[in-house]
Amino acid sequence: MKVLKNYWELGSVVSDIVEHTLTLPEPKLVLPTGSTPISLYKELVNRDLDWSTTTTFNLDEYVDNTIQDQSYRYFMMENLFKHTNMYDDNIYFPGDTAVWPDLSYGTGVDLCILGIGGNGHIAFNEPGSSFDSETRMVDLTEETIKDNSRFFPTIDDVPTQAVTMGLKPIMSSKKIVLIANGKHKLNILNVAMNGEQTESVPASILQSHKNVEIYYCD
Ligand code: PGA
């Protein structure tokens, strides 16, 4: 795990990795939402990179069409996509397709950037998710609903279901970068990276990936 000086350095260091990935032919990226990637997206926008051949897949999306400005598509448009030369047709969210689970969702990914939840979830693969899980609809745990309530007027407004990329397609990415910000993430990072590999801690699956980097700042 690399410990960085601050949140802005986190954004800058991970932007270097994204910038390198964007030089590949037809790069494919998996991207997260949440508080942690905001400094990354701000830095990427400042760098004014060429996204025209890039395809992105987001990790997850709520199942609730009444929350438009809290949807993860809205978050990504506002924080990144609308400031780049990405083509709309190259932007994918799980659950977009008429038929899902779409087992091809997020295949051939060069770089997957992940956050980690306080309960060890990655995307919305909550504790107990099978290490073989595919992209699918899930119920969110009470802890995740509570964590996400900071973005909504009341906890009752938080959607209770989402479509998430499964652990299996996440693990098929060529490179994974996990980002975490805040001391409250240290314990779960330690459990996930150094503890037993168990489906009770979904992020512990990353111990089996050959090309994972973890970036943390207080
Ligand atoms: P956060 O969320 O970046 O808002 O802490 C991470 C996550 O729950 O995956």
Side-chain angles (χ1 to χ4, degrees):
M1 178 167 99
K2 297 191 179 108
V3 180
L4 301 172
K5 279 203 293 281
N6 57 47
Y7 183 56
W8 299 105
E9 190 181 33
L10 178 76
S12 173
V13 167
V14 181
S15 287
D16 291 345
I17 299 170
V18 174
E19 184 167 349
H20 171 75
T21 307
L22 293 192
T23 64
L24 299 174
E26 304 198 348
K28 288 188 176 179
L29 299 183
V30 169
L31 297 173
T33 51
S35 315
T36 314
I38 287 177
S39 65
L40 164 67
Y41 295 151
K42 277 200 190 325
E43 175 64 21
L44 287 171
V45 169
N46 282 340
R47 291 189 187 192
D48 199 19
L49 304 170
D50 180 11
W51 292 78
S52 59
T53 61
T54 301
T55 299
T56 62
F57 301 91
N58 263 80
L59 282 167
D60 39 25
E61 178 61 289
Y62 289 125
V63 178
D64 185 340
N65 56 16
T66 64
I67 51 145
Q68 305 195 353
D69 62 356
Q70 292 297 347
S71 74
Y72 288 163
R73 177 181 289 278
Y74 183 87
F75 174 99
M76 291 304 299
M77 291 310 295
E78 290 301 305
N79 287 289
L80 181 66
F81 297 146
K82 80 175 190 190
H83 309 287
T84 71
N85 62 346
M86 282 281 300
Y87 288 105
D88 280 353
D89 285 355
N90 291 343
I91 297 171
Y92 291 92
F93 282 76
D96 275 350
T97 46
V99 181
W100 57 267
D102 174 1
L103 298 188
S104 67
Y105 187 83
T107 49
V109 165
D110 298 295
L111 172 65
C112 171
I113 302 175
L114 297 173
I116 183 169
N119 61 5
H121 75 203
I122 46 178
F124 279 135
N125 295 288
E126 300 283 20
S129 297
S130 163
F131 281 172
D132 275 332
S133 54
E134 299 282 3
T135 300
R136 68 206 185 283
M137 191 164 105
V138 291
D139 293 327
L140 305 185
T141 63
E142 258 178 60
E143 183 173 349
T144 298
I145 292 170
K146 210 165 125 216
D147 279 353
N148 292 356
S149 65
R150 67 194 194 276
F151 300 114
F152 290 85
T154 74
I155 196 161
D156 294 333
D157 299 310
V158 185
T160 57
Q161 290 185 311
V163 181
T164 184
M165 185 180 281
L167 292 171
K168 196 164 143 192
I170 288 172
M171 288 294 282
S172 71
S173 306
K174 290 174 199 149
K175 179 182 179 91
I176 295 178
V177 168
L178 186 139
I179 54 176
N181 169 218
K183 288 197 174 72
H184 62 293
K185 294 282 173 81
L186 269 180
N187 182 47
I188 191 64
L189 277 174
N190 184 34
V191 169
M193 295 310 136
N194 304 315
E196 183 199 349
Q197 254 195 312
T198 161
E199 291 177 350
S200 312
V201 182
S204 66
I205 195 175
L206 300 176
Q207 293 177 28
S208 301
H209 196 283
K210 290 192 174 63
N211 190 3
V212 182
E213 291 172 11
I214 301 169
Y215 294 94
Y216 167 82
C217 65
D218 279 350

